[in-house]
Amino acid sequence: MISFPAVQLGQTEIKCPITECTEYLDETTILYYLPHDDIIKYKYFLELSRTDSGTKPCPQCKHFTTLKKKGHIPTPAKVENKFKIQCPSCQFVWCFKCHSPWHEGVNCKEYKKGDKLLRHWANEIEHGQRNAQKCPRCKIHIQRTEGCDHMTCSQCNTNFCYRCGERYRQLRFFGDHTSNLSIFGCKYRYLPERPNLRRLVRGSVCAGKLLIAPLLLILGLALGAIAVVVGNRSGFALRLECLPLRSLWRFRVVQVHL
């Protein structure tokens, strides 16, 4: 796999990486060498470069929609409503004209001005917290009046952190957003001023757990085999119990008389 920096910049015409060559790579070659995440980006930018002004991607899921043109002359009210698009893929309602969430009763210019003021107000810190946080999925701003950092969007039911704005993710054995050393943990919970060190420590902990997990599995199987052998020889059975302990696992052998 090869990562082309041009793809990250939204470029679809990529020159051959060989210095002596001046040709451009074809689409098939680019897709063959790109990693999965870059393939998605490349296809999106490629589709975007091929569209005209009558086709735009959904602001939420990037599904492309073409605005249908009608022959009759609509009234001013209908002119505004014709730009109201409901994405068939994610059901998100947005404005085709300004490429923003739909703003009923407000024209695009007023909405953009108000949206800019809203973002500025939301980012201001008052009483030790942001005025509002944007939902990472539907992009609406939510203000917290009390409670913890765990927020649930009332529009799309997405769980996210009010402090950092990231979605809540968790995986057994690897922790969740509230874990200091978890790769899913909030950036403000552990070394917020040293992001590189934080990523290094959390990555090391994650790698260590990935190495330990197979060993614990092998240990459990070995103890189970020993329990069966000892039970057959002594006339009683030994049952192996696996108990959770702070996201790790510990094993206990229980004697059961036959």
Side-chain angles (χ1 to χ4, degrees):
M1 297 296 176
I2 301 176
S3 179
F4 296 102
V7 174
Q8 305 296 330
L9 299 175
Q11 299 177 13
T12 55
E13 294 185 351
I14 302 175
K15 284 187 175 182
C16 176
I18 301 175
T19 309
E20 295 78 10
C21 182
T22 58
E23 298 294 327
Y24 286 88
L25 299 177
D26 60 85
E27 181 182 339
T28 305
T29 303
I30 295 173
L31 292 174
Y32 179 79
Y33 286 104
L34 281 177
H36 177 70
D37 292 342
D38 286 349
I39 288 178
I40 297 175
K41 293 179 182 178
Y42 177 74
K43 286 185 175 180
Y44 169 71
F45 290 128
L46 189 65
E47 187 70 24
L48 195 62
S49 66
R50 293 172 176 172
T51 59
D52 54 19
S53 58
T55 302
K56 292 182 180 180
C58 169
Q60 181 165 289
C61 72
K62 310 306 180 185
H63 177 83
F64 284 89
T65 300
T66 300
L67 186 67
K68 297 180 180 180
K69 297 181 179 180
K70 298 181 180 180
H72 66 279
I73 301 176
T75 61
K78 290 184 177 180
V79 168
E80 292 299 323
N81 286 331
K82 79 171 185 177
F83 295 115
K84 183 178 181 180
I85 304 295
Q86 183 172 19
C87 178
S89 179
C90 67
Q91 309 305 315
F92 183 70
V93 181
W94 56 286
C95 176
F96 190 90
K97 187 176 181 180
C98 65
H99 204 240
S100 303
W102 179 246
H103 38 86
E104 188 70 37
V106 180
N107 62 44
C108 296
K109 185 177 180 180
E110 292 175 345
Y111 176 81
K112 285 293 186 181
K113 182 179 179 180
D115 189 50
K116 184 178 180 180
L117 294 174
L118 174 62
R119 290 196 302 268
H120 178 74
W121 170 81
N123 290 328
E124 289 182 345
I125 305 297
E126 292 186 7
H127 307 294
Q129 68 174 14
R130 296 167 56 101
N131 282 327
Q133 182 61 270
K134 185 186 295 184
C135 171
R137 183 181 180 187
C138 67
K139 310 304 180 184
I140 68 168
H141 284 85
I142 297 176
Q143 185 178 23
R144 181 182 65 179
T145 56
E146 60 182 358
C148 66
D149 292 326
H150 190 163
M151 308 294 291
T152 301
C153 178
S154 58
Q155 178 165 302
C156 64
N157 294 321
T158 298
N159 293 300
F160 66 96
C161 175
Y162 192 84
R163 293 187 70 187
C164 68
E166 296 292 332
R167 294 191 186 191
Y168 260 73
R169 292 183 174 89
Q170 63 178 1
L171 185 64
R172 182 179 289 275
F173 191 68
F174 290 96
D176 56 21
H177 199 74
T178 61
S179 305
N180 289 342
L181 299 180
S182 171
I183 56 174
F184 304 114
C186 176
K187 64 181 180 181
Y188 291 111
R189 294 187 67 89
Y190 183 70
L191 300 176
E193 304 298 331
R194 306 181 68 181
N196 292 330
L197 180 59
R198 180 179 68 248
R199 296 189 192 100
L200 177 62
V201 172
R202 287 179 170 178
S204 301
V205 172
C206 178
K209 289 184 176 182
L210 287 174
L211 293 175
I212 292 174
L215 297 178
L216 291 177
L217 179 61
I218 294 173
L219 177 61
L221 294 175
L223 290 176
I226 294 173
V228 171
V229 173
V230 173
N232 290 337
R233 290 184 177 181
S234 58
F236 58 84
L238 296 178
R239 186 174 75 251
L240 185 66
E241 292 186 352
C242 185
L243 305 174
L245 178 63
R246 293 184 180 179
S247 299
L248 296 175
W249 296 92
R250 61 188 177 91
F251 297 93
R252 182 176 68 182
V253 177
V254 181
Q255 178 176 328
V256 180
H257 292 281
L258 299 176

